Amino acid sequence: MQSRSQRRRRILKQCIQKKSKIEDNAHVTQEIDSEYEDVSEMEEDEHIQYEDEFDDEYESEEGEINIDSEDEEILEKEEQSQEQSQQTQQQQQPIQQQSKLKRKKKGMEQENQENQKRVWFYDEAENLDFDNRAYNMLHRVTTEWPCLSCDFVLTEEEQQQYKNKEYQKMNKYPYSVYLAAGTQAAQPTKNQIYLLKLSKMHKTKYDDDEASQSEEDSEDDNLSNDEEGQVHLSSVTGLKCGVNRIKTMNGQAIAAYWNENGDVNILDLNPLYKKLQSNQQSQFNLSQLHHKVFKNQHEGFALDWSRLKVGDLLSGSVDGKIYLYQLNNNDWIRENKAYEYHKGSVEDLQFSPIESFVFASCSTDGTLCIVDTREGKHKQAQILVKAHNCDVNVISWNQVSATLVATGADDGCFKIWDLKYPKNDAISEIQFHNKAITSIQFQPNSDSSIAVSSEDHKLSIWDFAVENENNNEDDVPDQLMFVHQGQKDLKELKYHPVYYEMIVSTSANGFNVFKPTLDEEEKKSEQSEEDQDQIPVIKEEDLNKYFQQMSIQ
């Protein structure tokens, strides 16, 4: 039986297409594409179906009710056919019209008509068009092969800020970030580890709205908005198989990754990183870099580095085994004995943010487990929560409030649990996405904000500090802050460890790096503070001289 993660990779491989050819062995600079796909409006096309509120009529584009004689004859024939064949249920097919509108399926009961809402059927071939003010920044990057997983690599300054838990609000554009990612190529020998430098990422909020150029933006920022973003790409070849998941060690240029052959690899990416700092692209064979390989009987996806004890690493595989790796004299050693308490594939792992000897795991057996390694019990978890009635795909441990853990499941539901009360129900349960949850993460500096991605091609952002004021169940939840779309088969999202609200998401059609516009009042307050900082400071000596000159006159 395939694990949830295996099926996720298989779906991605079915969608693989070459997006760009990298010339001269990947030594090429790509431009960041800041042309966007729609998150709020859909262009009219024959692939879009509009469902009307009533069964017996539909509206034209001008809002007029429009039923022609031919349609009436067809409807009569359909009703007669239904009466003559009561024992056979035939599915009604919608009738296409020149106005690009299609009739709603017949046969709905009258009592349900009042509760019907307009439904938009989105065809994956549709082009989406969005309001550019929804994002403070949005850049898209396409590589030769799609990636299931990615993670940030931090500069020395960012690493120090990450260590001290110092977070920067994004008000000084442009920005640069480094990303490590592993590919899922059509041919195993073509797989690579990417290290990308995304630079000159400017604010894009008003790119297509010249009439509404914000007066709040600084003059320097506006002058540089037309400057194109850049991508510099370095790569590691010789992998021989695809990469399931990759994690960098606390933002350093050292990465651990699972591959399809069942190997856990620890790889030094510093030679690539040092060249990228000066925008030099490079390509190394795996044999040229310092790396260590740990063999396993089965492949896996679960992987996590400890933030508290540098060098500690966890891996989980589809056979339910969890291994702990520790750094000893500049070399990694794996414990001989595995933790085996799950009855299914281990899908995700997370170290505790406050205790180096505690970690959480989730599995296709539907459980969330908490383990204290000091207990020495490899066959039993100290806390076991029956979290979902299906596969639990991903988890996230809140970095601010360490008793909160979020779980995302195969049925599109995600929940938040309070570990102080492990026998109680989840404190929050959201069924917003209609397909499997693929990634979930609490915002690093928040105890209430969380981002979730799903196979329904949506990434949603929630804030549970917002009180529920809507009594109508059909309304959008008050806690839903933002929905990001335009990416196909979203696989993973990551908050930047330092830059406030910056997210990278990876999918079958590349990466998106963005910062959503969530709070305009906060933005105005930030700008006001910047304006105050620009007010020159008058020294007391200069002020006295000025008064003396005034008295002389």
Side-chain angles (χ1 to χ4, degrees), residues 293-344:
V293 181
F294 296 90
K295 297 288 184 179
N296 296 275
Q297 292 180 344
H298 299 273
E299 67 174 329
F301 291 80
L303 207 60
D304 195 44
W305 291 97
S306 172
R307 179 170 181 169
L308 301 178
K309 191 175 180 182
V310 176
D312 277 16
L313 174 70
L314 286 168
S315 70
S317 52
V318 298
D319 58 355
K321 294 182 179 180
I322 298 172
Y323 281 103
L324 175 64
Y325 309 74
Q326 294 182 310
L327 185 61
N328 185 15
N329 295 327
N330 295 322
D331 191 20
W332 272 273
I333 306 297
R334 181 170 71 178
E335 289 188 353
N336 293 327
K337 196 172 183 180
Y339 292 88
E340 298 181 79
Y341 50 83
H342 279 298
K343 297 179 181 179

Side-chain angles (χ1 to χ4, degrees), residues 184-212:
Q184 287 284 324
Q187 299 177 16
T189 56
K190 292 185 177 294
N191 279 292
Q192 304 174 52
I193 297 289
Y194 289 146
L195 186 61
L196 302 99
K197 180 182 180 181
L198 316 182
S199 56
K200 298 183 180 179
M201 293 193 298
H202 288 276
K203 184 179 295 185
T204 56
K205 183 172 182 180
Y206 297 98
D207 272 4
D208 300 324
D209 194 1
E210 296 179 0
S212 300

Side-chain angles (χ1 to χ4, degrees), residues 113-302:
Q113 290 178 353
E114 296 179 358
N115 297 326
Q116 292 300 312
K117 296 178 66 177
R118 171 164 292 189
V119 179
W120 294 63
F121 290 92
Y122 168 59
D123 189 285
E124 294 181 357
E126 278 306 311
N127 290 324
L128 302 176
D129 186 21
F130 80 113
D131 183 354
N132 58 352
R133 298 191 184 196
Y135 298 86
N136 278 339
M137 182 190 77
L138 172 58
H139 295 281
R140 299 191 308 162
V141 181
T142 303
T143 52
E144 183 180 16
W145 302 108
C147 302
L148 273 176
S149 179
C150 65
D151 204 0
F152 287 101
V153 174
L154 305 181
T155 64
E156 291 184 4
E157 181 182 358
E158 291 168 349
Q159 287 181 35
Q160 190 62 39
Q161 292 172 336
Y162 172 70
K163 183 178 180 180
N164 298 332
K165 297 184 178 180
E166 299 174 0
Y167 303 99
Q168 291 186 15
K169 292 188 176 181
M170 294 179 62
N171 50 21
K172 295 182 180 179
Y173 291 85
Y175 284 89
S176 296
V177 297
Y178 294 85
L179 284 176
T183 67
Q184 287 284 324
Q187 299 177 16
T189 56
K190 292 185 177 294
N191 279 292
Q192 304 174 52
I193 297 289
Y194 289 146
L195 186 61
L196 302 99
K197 180 182 180 181
L198 316 182
S199 56
K200 298 183 180 179
M201 293 193 298
H202 288 276
K203 184 179 295 185
T204 56
K205 183 172 182 180
Y206 297 98
D207 272 4
D208 300 324
D209 194 1
E210 296 179 0
S212 300
Q213 280 287 343
S214 173
E215 297 178 358
E216 300 168 0
D217 295 335
S218 66
E219 292 182 3
D220 292 339
D221 192 40
N222 281 334
L223 288 173
S224 60
N225 263 347
D226 292 335
E227 186 179 26
E228 291 291 338
Q230 292 184 355
V231 178
H232 292 83
L233 183 148
S234 293
S235 62
V236 180
T237 60
L239 270 62
K240 299 181 181 179
C241 61
V243 176
N244 295 344
R245 183 163 292 176
I246 188 168
K247 292 281 187 76
T248 60
M249 188 176 74
N250 296 329
Q252 298 182 39
I254 296 174
Y257 67 90
W258 267 109
N259 66 22
E260 294 177 351
N261 287 343
D263 301 335
V264 173
N265 299 261
I266 300 176
L267 174 64
D268 185 3
L269 295 173
N270 276 289
L272 289 76
Y273 172 70
K274 290 177 181 179
K275 287 183 176 293
L276 277 180
Q277 285 182 302
S278 56
N279 295 337
Q280 297 180 48
Q281 299 182 133
S282 59
Q283 187 177 76
F284 289 83
N285 189 276
L286 184 62
S287 60
Q288 297 176 284
L289 300 173
H290 180 68
H291 70 286
K292 187 162 187 178
V293 181
F294 296 90
K295 297 288 184 179
N296 296 275
Q297 292 180 344
H298 299 273
E299 67 174 329
F301 291 80

